[in-house]
Amino acid sequence: MKPVEEIYPLSFSFLSSPGRRRLLDKSGRGGGPERIPCLLEEEAGLPEFLPALARAEWARHRVASSEAVFPPEADDFQLNPTLEVVQTSWKLSPILDRRGEEGITAPETGEEWLLIRKDPATRETVATPASLDELLAVKILAEDISPEAAAAEAKVAAGKIDRALWTAAKTGILIAPRSRVTRSFPPPEAGGKERFQKVDVFTIQWHITHACDLHCRHCYDRSKRSPLTLIQGKRLLGELEDFCRERNVRGHVCFTGGNPFLSPHFFHLYREAADRGFSTSILGNPVSRRKLREIKEIQVPGYFQVSLEGLAEHNDWMRGFGHFQRILDFLEVLKETGISSAVMLTLTKDNLEQVLPLARILEGKTDYFTFNRLSPVGEGADLLLPERKEYIEFLKKYVSAFPEIAPLGYKDNLINIILENRGLKLFAGCTGYGCGAAFNFITILPDGEAHACRKFPSPIGNVLKSGIAGVYDSGEAERYRRGPEECRRCSLRPVCGGCLAIAAGLGRDIFRDRDPFCFYRSGAGAAGRSR
């Protein structure tokens, strides 16, 4: 065991030299270092907070010394086996990790619950003040309370209990159950190991209406569809909740359209999604401050995404006169409202050279800016994609500019080819798993028709007929999940897979042929390199 002074460095820093010697002498005569908190309570003239601080330091020592084994996989949520909970009447967390620093001041008074544990990923000992959600999660697991019973007792939707459990798992207080949303790829070379991916968050991109106040020249789908009723929409969110519980994933709902705010059910459905514990985001057009405040009162979205298609003249040709300035004004409103913003551009031959100048204009105005290549379907079939060679040169410039222009983000999977060629860290790909079509997300159209990806016709069923689980488990969805055969053994496949929408729009067999813009060579026994 460590010397007492090393177990209680903070507590001893508040003692005089005679006081330290006296304490060490008392602890050495019986009981050992665990007696220090009690001995401090018996000492007169010491700061009132010292016994509480010592209890926290002793708990941290026990955690750091723990040899508890973390389960490699769990069937359900479990408490972190190293977790120690310390209730105090002092705000100890600001000073607890300041061992060895000069000028540490006494903590403030106030109730605090400290959650001390080893991080399951790093095995480092951490101590953080507990949130109400984290305390609720610990209580549920410690007392073996079902989420339904906890929800009934707290008089909240069961989804909020699910969210509390996942929040605690994210910070390592709980051990999350293993995801049942997985896929595998064969090894790039003969004799290699099969590669696996598992999903943490499952998303539905929900086009709750096709009604729109714009008519963009590259629109993928302006079909007339009868939207779900409010009852059907709420039932769909209930199915998503069941799906996420059964598959051990968190749920995310991305509300879009058309313009989602033109649906009379938007706020009802948004509230229902929040009540069921789902994180949310919005892809739409500018709205009033009043509506943004109403959204925030329900739940702050992860982001609100809008679109720009280049500099002002080109953008307004694509999306309508005055749209460019309207978006810049709205980005300012989002910032003032405290909602994270994202700007998406659809890349064509005509705006290729406008991307980086636009990114510089957007510095300080948005949190995130990136692009998708034009999907040449719907009305977008009348526009042109860049030539393959000029697109590759554009990607090189984009990656070079990435560290210099704050809002730039990576989305196109083929960026990973440039990153690998330059020896840089790869990013997770378009959806966090390379092409995630029908894997970590599905698209649902207003009438319930489900697609693997929103950017091109990729039907996998209808949620009104089959439910979310039935659609996801369909043979059609599985084909999209697998991706092109030509990509299956590529070493980049888990973070790439190209873009199925591009291949489909250019007439390729998407289940066989790779993205026609791909410039990576990979195969069994061969490392990939650009041509």
Side-chain angles (χ1 to χ4, degrees), residues 4 66 139 141 175 179 238 308 313 423:
V4 175
S66 172
K139 176 182 173 67
L141 269 293
I175 307 299
S179 171
L308 285 173
E313 183 179 356

Side-chain angles (χ1 to χ4, degrees), residues 28-79:
R29 288 201 298 265
E34 65 269 24
R35 290 194 63 217
I36 293 294
C38 294
L39 293 173
L40 287 170
E41 287 179 336
E42 298 170 0
E43 288 282 317
L46 296 180
E48 291 182 48
F49 64 84
L50 268 188
L53 178 58
R55 282 194 293 273
E57 290 197 282
W58 177 246
R60 183 171 58 188
H61 168 73
R62 285 201 305 267
V63 170
S65 305
S66 172
E67 296 181 358
V69 176
F70 289 91
E73 290 187 327
D75 293 324
D76 207 343
F77 286 102
Q78 296 181 14
L79 283 172

Side-chain angles (χ1 to χ4, degrees), residues 20-223:
R20 293 178 195 174
R21 288 194 297 271
R22 187 168 58 251
L23 206 61
L24 288 171
D25 182 57
K26 286 183 178 181
S27 67
R29 288 201 298 265
E34 65 269 24
R35 290 194 63 217
I36 293 294
C38 294
L39 293 173
L40 287 170
E41 287 179 336
E42 298 170 0
E43 288 282 317
L46 296 180
E48 291 182 48
F49 64 84
L50 268 188
L53 178 58
R55 282 194 293 273
E57 290 197 282
W58 177 246
R60 183 171 58 188
H61 168 73
R62 285 201 305 267
V63 170
S65 305
S66 172
E67 296 181 358
V69 176
F70 289 91
E73 290 187 327
D75 293 324
D76 207 343
F77 286 102
Q78 296 181 14
L79 283 172
N80 183 321
T82 67
L83 179 66
E84 294 266 359
V85 182
V86 179
Q87 182 185 11
T88 80
S89 299
W90 301 88
K91 301 288 186 181
L92 298 178
S93 55
I95 69 169
L96 198 56
D97 285 324
R98 297 184 61 187
R99 289 166 289 177
E101 296 183 23
E102 297 292 334
I104 298 175
T105 58
E108 297 178 0
T109 59
E111 184 180 50
E112 184 174 71
W113 292 76
L114 286 170
L115 300 179
I116 306 173
R117 70 278 183 193
K118 282 186 179 178
D119 182 278
T122 65
R123 300 301 194 266
E124 293 181 359
T125 301
V126 293
T128 55
S131 67
L132 291 177
D133 276 354
E134 289 169 337
L135 284 177
L136 175 61
V138 171
K139 176 182 173 67
I140 289 171
L141 269 293
E143 300 180 12
D144 195 22
I145 303 171
S146 72
E148 294 78 11
E153 181 181 341
K155 297 181 180 179
V156 298
K160 291 190 180 294
I161 303 300
D162 289 338
R163 181 185 299 171
L165 294 172
W166 282 111
T167 298
K170 189 174 182 180
T171 55
I173 295 162
L174 304 185
I175 307 299
R178 64 179 180 274
S179 171
R180 295 182 57 227
V181 179
T182 63
R183 67 177 171 184
S184 63
F185 303 108
E189 63 285 320
K193 292 184 178 180
E194 192 173 18
R195 298 166 293 170
F196 288 90
Q197 284 183 311
K198 63 178 181 178
V199 167
D200 296 318
V201 179
F202 180 76
T203 298
I204 61 167
Q205 187 180 68
W206 192 4
H207 297 250
I208 60 174
T209 179
H210 268 182
C212 191
D213 45 347
L214 299 177
H215 191 146
C216 304
R217 294 177 182 269
H218 65 301
C219 186
Y220 303 137
D221 185 1
R222 294 190 66 84
S223 59

